[in-house]
């Protein structure tokens, strides 16, 4: 099983450029998430999708948009990148029910905005 | 809203020392609680979990007990190894206000040989 696959692994953008981070899971999970990880701040939730067809804002949604394309795929888009969006981005997925709420993570995308 | 607070790091220990990393939470309802570990250059992976009060999660010599009365889920290991050096995240998963997983800030552990 591939688990959660994120692309790309590394990206450098100029301020104002746009890009889409891709995420796909093959575990038939209902819920998918995008987090950013910054030094000293742990993981902060950007957006999540509790089930196919729904998306909700997390703690730090400004400057981002998401699309739950189907049950497998959940993409994160930066429309106009800013240096403050330099971070490591993680996609994760989990079952919906609380008892099986373990989150599975991708390897991360290291994004630098210059 | 729901939140997780864990002790700040870094924590530096010698091999075979006892480890405790404190974690407390605030949540409505009855969340599941987790410890995740992140090794350098990798994503997070589940270390252990507990889904109800008084449950003890354990894995690879690590343990944590879900204490509802103190809203805590402290991580312990009796004898750490150099290979345990990593960042440890406490987390809760709740379906209150929308189903999502909330993480603490992480605690970096260094183990010296």
């Amino acid at each position: 099983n591939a688990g959660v696959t994120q692309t790309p692994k590394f990206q450098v953008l100029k301020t104002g450029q746009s890009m889409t981070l891709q995420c796909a899971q093959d575990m038939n999970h209902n819920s998918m998430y995008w987090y950013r990880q910054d030094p000293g701040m742990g993981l902060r939730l950007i957006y999540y999708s509790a089930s196919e067809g729904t998306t909700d804002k997390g703690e730090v949604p400004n400057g981002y948009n998401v699309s739950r394309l189907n049950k497998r795929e959940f993409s994160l888009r930066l429309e106009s990148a800013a240096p403050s969006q330099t971070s490591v981005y993680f996609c994760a997925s989990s079952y919906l029910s609380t008892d099986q709420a373990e989150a599975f993570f991708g390897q991360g995308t290291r994004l630098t905005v210059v | 809203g729901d939140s997780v607070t864990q002790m700040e790091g870094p924590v530096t220990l010698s091999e075979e020392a006892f480890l405790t990393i404190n974690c407390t939470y605030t949540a409505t309802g009855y969340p599941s609680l987790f410890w995740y570990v992140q090794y350098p250059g990798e994503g997070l992976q589940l270390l252990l979990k507990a889904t109800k009060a008084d449950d003890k999660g354990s894995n690879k010599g690590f343990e944590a007990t879900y204490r509802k009365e103190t809203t805590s889920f402290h991580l312990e290991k009796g004898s750490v190894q150099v290979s345990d050096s990593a960042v440890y995240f406490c987390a809760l998963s709740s379906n209150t206000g929308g189903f999502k997983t909330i993480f603490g800030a992480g605690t970096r552990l260094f183990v010296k040989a």
Side-chain angles (χ1 to χ4, degrees):
Chain A
N1 272 346
V4 179
T5 303
Q6 288 181 238
T7 55
K9 287 188 168 51
F10 300 94
Q11 184 71 48
V12 178
L13 290 178
K14 294 182 179 178
T15 298
Q17 285 186 317
S18 62
M19 79 161 295
T20 300
L21 280 64
Q22 306 286 352
C23 175
Q25 53 90 9
D26 62 2
M27 295 172 283
N28 201 36
H29 285 168
N30 292 309
S31 300
M32 298 186 73
Y33 313 82
W34 277 105
Y35 294 91
R36 58 178 289 173
Q37 183 178 30
D38 301 293
M41 304 192 75
L43 276 86
R44 292 183 292 170
L45 184 63
I46 305 171
Y47 271 93
Y48 67 103
S49 171
S51 60
E52 187 179 356
T54 69
T55 60
D56 288 283
K57 295 178 180 179
E59 183 184 355
V60 289
N62 291 345
Y64 305 95
N65 285 300
V66 291
S67 295
R68 184 74 183 266
L69 304 169
N70 48 56
K71 192 170 186 179
R72 290 186 65 247
E73 299 173 285
F74 188 41
S75 63
L76 178 72
R77 182 160 178 84
L78 286 70
E79 290 291 352
S80 178
S84 61
Q85 295 178 304
T86 294
S87 187
V88 181
Y89 292 85
F90 287 101
C91 177
S93 69
S94 69
Y95 286 112
L96 185 59
S97 78
T98 302
D99 284 344
Q100 300 182 67
E102 172 187 353
F104 292 80
F105 283 79
Q107 293 283 75
T109 297
R110 186 173 294 276
L111 174 67
T112 302
V113 183
V114 297
Chain B
D2 297 350
S3 66
V4 175
T5 303
Q6 60 182 105
M7 63 188 288
E8 291 188 22
V11 174
T12 303
L13 296 173
S14 297
E15 211 166 20
E16 299 183 5
F18 185 85
L19 169 71
T20 300
I21 300 178
N22 290 336
C23 171
T24 57
Y25 69 91
T26 302
T28 54
Y30 303 95
S32 294
L33 301 175
F34 306 83
W35 279 100
Y36 287 83
V37 59
Q38 184 181 30
Y39 298 103
E42 298 184 10
L44 280 71
Q45 56 186 276
L46 180 69
L47 179 60
L48 54 85
K49 71 176 182 181
T51 58
K52 60 184 185 295
D54 300 324
D55 267 4
K56 177 186 282 189
S58 61
N59 185 26
K60 300 181 182 179
F62 291 89
E63 293 183 338
T65 301
Y66 189 145
R67 301 285 188 201
K68 193 168 185 293
E69 64 276 12
T70 55
T71 62
S72 64
F73 193 55
H74 305 320
L75 181 68
E76 297 182 335
K77 187 175 185 183
S79 176
V80 294
Q81 305 300 312
V82 172
S83 58
D84 293 326
S85 298
V87 181
Y88 293 82
F89 292 90
C90 185
L92 68 82
S93 184
S94 168
N95 58 7
T96 303
F99 189 80
K100 52 188 179 287
T101 302
I102 305 294
F103 288 84
T107 302
R108 184 176 294 278
L109 171 66
F110 293 104
V111 181
K112 303 179 297 184

